[in-house]
Amino acid sequence: MLLSSKRLTAWAVLALWVAAVLAAVPLAGRLPDVVQAKSAAELPRGAQSTEVEKLTDRFRDGRQAPAVIVYARTGPSGAGSTAGAGSTAGPGITSADRAKADADRRALAPLAEAPIGAPQASRDGRALLLAVPLHDDDHLSGNAEKVRDAVTRNVPRGLQVKVTGPAGAALDAGDAFRKVDKPLLLITVVLVAAVLLFTYRSPVLWLLPLACAAISLQVTNAVVYLLAEHAGLYVADGMSTILNALVFGIGTDYALLLLARYREELRRHEDRHRAMAVALRRAAAPVAASAATVCLGLLCLLAARMGFNFALGPISAIGIIGGLAVVMTLLPALLVVLGRWVFWPRIPRFGDAPPARGGAWDRAGRRIAARPRLVWALGAAVLAALAAGCLGVHTGLDRAHFLTTTPNSVQGERIADAHFPGDESRPLQVVSGRPVDLRGIPGIARTGTPETSTDGRLTRTAVVLTSPPDSGAAERTVERIRRAVPGVLVGGGAASELDLADAQAHDRRVVIPLVLGVVLVVLIALLRALVAPLLVMATVVGSYFAALGGSWLLFRHVFGFPAMDVQVALMGFLFMVALGVDYNLFLVSRIREEAAAAGHREGVLRGLGLTGGVISSAGLVLASTFGVLGVMPVTMFVEIGVLVSLGVLLDTFVVRPVIVPALALDSGPRFWWPGRLPRAQARPAPDREPVPRA
């Protein structure tokens, strides 16, 4: 890393990165090609529904996902009418409606994987159901779009036509990600640029962190693509969105910390290469330690049962390593090549006096030092008040609220539920080594004809339940089937929903304690203390619960969400703990450095004054990158974005600059127990004695 501070090697580093970027950009552009919109890898590992998904290739129809087309007439009671058979409460299906369904059946035959059955009429005579079997692969969303385009043409007046079922849901999800993918990245870049411009007030300097973050993202995407293409790494829809926020946020943060240290050393050294060498030596340890902490925390997801969680860990860790590599090599090379003028108009000159005391964070530190115990107690009370909102949290979004709007597939599903028993669009799939008798099990509306696998060793039976698959009644029916018929595999529909919920509960029980343990061990090793890491971890956990409670109040009363997605608590905890420890590590490591020279109390105040501005800017950047997720139409990402952004802001402006220094001041030198502060290390001498400048 120090090589990039030398005159000749700086140009060599730049040349290497130019070559790396030229190689990475084409590969990064191919990342969407390996995104798997539908894969058993996303499902819970080892669950029955996952095993059923893996066995689909052994049946004649292979991997099929039906596009269920619902044709319905709405009367005075609306589309959700529950009129019974023979009801005259509203208009019934007409001959023109039947002709439309028959015409669609013929037109869609080339897209279907198997012959399309005749439209099924509801008992009340007001709806038709047409199931078009599509191949369940990465082209499912595109084929479902063709189905939707075809069936929404030439629709008789007064007839509603909706595409639902697995294919319709895949189409809605694909539309949601495609529409916001590029705009989301653009909004991220604009927000980060705005924060950097506000921070540096320089027309040039803000470009360097932004360029480094963009290069980190390209290199990360290229590596992920290669691993997905040649090593079987699973990449799901939405992972690139999280990766964009993480890499842009963390890469910019590391750049801000290095720039702040470099600016300090430029005032002490006439030779900018020497200044960069010293800045790198002093900044590399906390930045690398931060990256290691975040990576280890993310890799705890390898203990997860959910396939999405399991794959997100290593992919995110690759992004952190990419950001670290760029900031520690490319950014120093760019800075020494460009020279001091890049800081214009506030160019740090050799001999300039350091910023005078009396800055905002220095003044805040002096006030905290007057009554530190009262300060941290009040801060803890604020966190506790927000955390009280957790008591009312509801988890578990149904499919109707997967998107922030009501998509076509959900509208179709509601119409189908009103006119047909159970959920015709998402039946259970019961797989066994022999035909099974499911008669007498409560909750089953009807069963289909058993289908034999191509090798004759398995049978599969479609089972329609009396309750919607998102309901508790449907989950209880799945449990009854699994108990009543040992040896069968029950998947699809409500079984998938049940297995997903069980896997998420497992991941919360296992991953959260594991993350806490790993991060605590890393902090103990880095700070060579026990009290400081325990206090830091306590503040981070407190800020997480405060953010969780505050976010739930926003979700319920501002956004109008009925519940929090089961994925949000784990994802929010993971990012907040890893990233929250990040900022506290920067602060505490600087306090340790300053305390070694000036004593504990003065070291706390100096550390806060020197890092307050840059860490606040870094927090704003990270909160902005995750806050951009709030514009997505996918509810889970909106909730993750709001939770992490609120948590980062709490940590940046309440926990890190107020509570942590107050705890450090109140505990005194015991903050470093059982270790002791190292002896003061002499700073590298300046190139020559500077002439003081005004």
Side-chain angles (χ1 to χ4, degrees):
M1 290 187 294
L2 297 181
L3 291 177
S4 59
S5 64
K6 298 180 180 178
R7 289 176 174 83
L8 296 179
T9 54
W11 286 101
V13 169
L14 289 180
L16 288 174
W17 273 109
V18 168
V21 171
L22 290 176
V25 169
L27 296 174
R30 298 175 64 182
L31 181 61
D33 297 341
V34 296
V35 173
Q36 301 180 47
K38 177 69 174 179
S39 173
E42 184 177 359
L43 301 175
R45 296 184 296 149
Q48 287 195 26
S49 56
T50 306
E51 297 305 312
V52 169
E53 177 71 19
K54 292 178 179 179
L55 293 172
T56 54
D57 288 335
R58 295 178 60 176
F59 292 88
R60 286 191 304 274
D61 55 10
R63 290 186 173 273
Q64 289 186 5
V68 179
I69 307 165
V70 182
Y71 306 84
R73 284 280 171 181
T74 58
S77 53
S81 171
T82 57
S87 171
T88 59
I93 291 294
T94 66
S95 57
D97 300 338
R98 295 181 183 277
K100 165 63 177 170
D102 288 333
D104 289 343
R105 177 189 177 194
R106 293 189 297 270
L108 297 174
L111 288 174
E113 281 288 296
I116 304 175
Q120 178 185 352
S122 63
R123 292 183 179 180
D124 61 12
R126 297 175 55 205
L128 295 172
L129 212 61
L130 182 66
V132 180
L134 300 178
H135 189 53
D136 191 3
D137 58 9
D138 292 336
H139 302 289
L140 176 62
S141 179
N143 288 331
E145 186 174 13
K146 295 177 182 178
V147 170
R148 185 178 63 186
D149 292 342
V151 300
T152 52
R153 290 195 294 264
N154 303 320
V155 178
R157 186 175 181 180
L159 181 69
Q160 287 198 61
V161 181
K162 304 293 181 182
V163 179
T164 185
L171 174 58
D172 289 334
D175 282 347
F177 286 111
R178 281 194 300 269
K179 289 177 181 177
V180 300
D181 195 22
K182 291 182 179 179
L184 204 67
L185 184 57
L186 179 61
I187 295 172
T188 301
V189 172
V190 170
L191 280 176
V192 172
V195 175
L196 292 175
L197 278 169
F198 175 78
T199 300
Y200 292 117
R201 297 175 177 85
S202 167
V204 179
L205 188 60
W206 66 276
L207 291 169
L208 298 186
L210 200 61
C212 288
I215 291 171
S216 302
L217 187 60
Q218 291 296 310
V219 172
T220 298
N221 287 344
V223 173
V224 171
Y225 165 76
L226 290 174
L227 292 175
E229 182 70 16
H230 303 290
L233 180 67
Y234 170 61
V235 184
D237 269 335
M239 282 188 181
S240 60
T241 302
I242 294 177
L243 197 61
N244 289 346
L246 187 63
V247 173
F248 256 91
I250 207 74
T252 306
D253 285 359
Y254 293 162
L256 287 169
L257 294 165
L258 178 61
L259 281 167
R261 204 64 194 249
Y262 180 49
R263 187 195 290 270
E264 286 183 40
E265 299 303 329
L266 283 174
R267 299 188 181 99
R268 303 188 66 251
H269 300 277
E270 187 174 18
D271 180 22
R272 65 181 185 275
H273 302 86
R274 172 67 174 162
M276 178 56 74
V278 176
L280 270 175
R281 185 164 63 248
R282 292 189 174 275
V287 171
S290 164
T293 304
V294 177
C295 284
L296 290 173
L298 291 168
L299 290 176
C300 290
L301 284 174
L302 293 175
R305 186 174 291 172
M306 277 293 299
F308 182 92
N309 298 343
F310 180 83
L312 182 62
I315 288 177
S316 299
I318 292 170
I320 299 299
I321 294 171
L324 176 68
V326 171
V327 169
M328 290 289 105
T329 56
L330 176 59
L331 181 58
L334 286 171
L335 288 169
V336 297
V337 166
L338 292 174
R340 296 174 186 259
W341 70 268
V342 77
F343 288 91
W344 185 86
R346 297 188 294 177
I347 301 175
R349 305 289 187 183
F350 175 60
D352 283 350
R357 287 187 179 179
W361 292 112
D362 184 77
R363 293 195 303 271
R366 303 291 165 181
R367 292 193 181 98
I368 293 170
R371 303 187 70 178
R373 185 167 300 178
L374 176 63
V375 170
W376 70 253
L378 290 175
V382 171
L383 297 182
L386 287 172
C390 296
L391 299 176
V393 170
H394 298 292
T395 58
L397 281 173
D398 54 22
R399 290 183 65 252
H401 295 91
F402 170 72
L403 301 179
T404 55
T405 58
T406 305
N408 194 285
S409 62
V410 172
Q411 296 175 30
E413 188 172 304
R414 290 175 178 173
I415 296 173
D417 289 344
H419 298 286
F420 295 90
D423 188 359
E424 297 279 352
S425 62
R426 289 193 296 156
L428 295 180
Q429 301 294 335
V430 179
V431 178
S432 64
R434 51 183 173 76
V436 295
D437 185 5
L438 301 176
R439 291 177 297 180
I441 298 179
I444 295 179
R446 64 178 181 84
T447 59
T449 303
E451 176 187 8
T452 305
S453 61
T454 53
D455 58 9
R457 301 176 62 182
L458 296 173
T459 63
R460 184 175 66 179
T461 306
V463 178
V464 177
L465 305 183
T466 58
S467 305
D470 294 326
S471 64
E475 293 181 356
R476 290 189 291 272
T477 302
V478 172
E479 293 171 344
R480 283 194 290 267
I481 295 174
R482 288 173 173 173
R483 289 195 303 267
V485 191
V488 302
L489 296 175
V490 184
S496 296
E497 301 290 341
L498 177 61
D499 290 342
L500 287 171
D502 289 344
Q504 290 289 0
H506 165 273
D507 290 354
R508 289 194 297 271
R509 291 194 306 270
V510 173
V511 175
I512 287 179
L514 188 59
V515 170
L516 287 174
V518 167
V519 172
L520 181 60
V521 169
V522 172
L523 284 177
I524 291 172
L526 292 174
L527 299 178
R528 298 183 293 281
L530 182 61
V531 173
L534 287 172
L535 290 177
V536 167
M537 286 299 297
T539 61
V540 171
V541 173
S543 66
Y544 165 73
F545 282 106
L548 187 65
S551 297
W552 170 245
L553 296 177
L554 291 175
F555 298 153
R556 194 73 185 93
H557 302 292
V558 177
F559 292 88
F561 298 152
M564 189 179 290
D565 190 274
V566 291
Q567 189 90 334
V568 172
L570 177 61
M571 291 292 103
F573 179 86
L574 182 71
F575 288 124
M576 280 190 57
V577 168
L579 300 175
V581 167
D582 218 23
Y583 294 139
N584 284 285
L585 181 60
F586 296 147
L587 171 65
V588 175
S589 62
R590 189 60 187 262
I591 288 175
R592 185 181 178 86
E593 178 184 334
E594 297 297 330
H600 176 74
R601 183 181 185 278
E602 190 62 25
V604 172
L605 300 180
R606 285 187 185 181
L608 177 59
L610 290 169
T611 63
V614 65
I615 294 181
S616 298
S617 298
L620 285 175
V621 168
L622 193 63
S624 298
T625 57
F626 273 92
V628 171
L629 298 179
V631 305
M632 288 198 67
V634 182
T635 305
M636 181 186 76
F637 286 103
V638 173
E639 293 181 339
I640 290 175
V642 171
L643 173 59
V644 176
S645 295
L646 180 58
V648 169
L649 292 175
L650 282 172
D651 191 79
T652 302
F653 294 103
V654 177
V655 174
R656 195 269 316 155
V658 177
I659 298 179
V660 171
L663 287 170
L665 289 167
D666 190 28
S667 57
R670 291 171 296 180
F671 190 68
W672 309 106
W673 185 88
R676 290 183 297 177
L677 285 173
R679 291 182 180 179
Q681 297 180 359
R683 294 183 183 272
D687 301 327
R688 59 181 173 82
E689 285 301 320
V691 178
R693 303 169 64 95

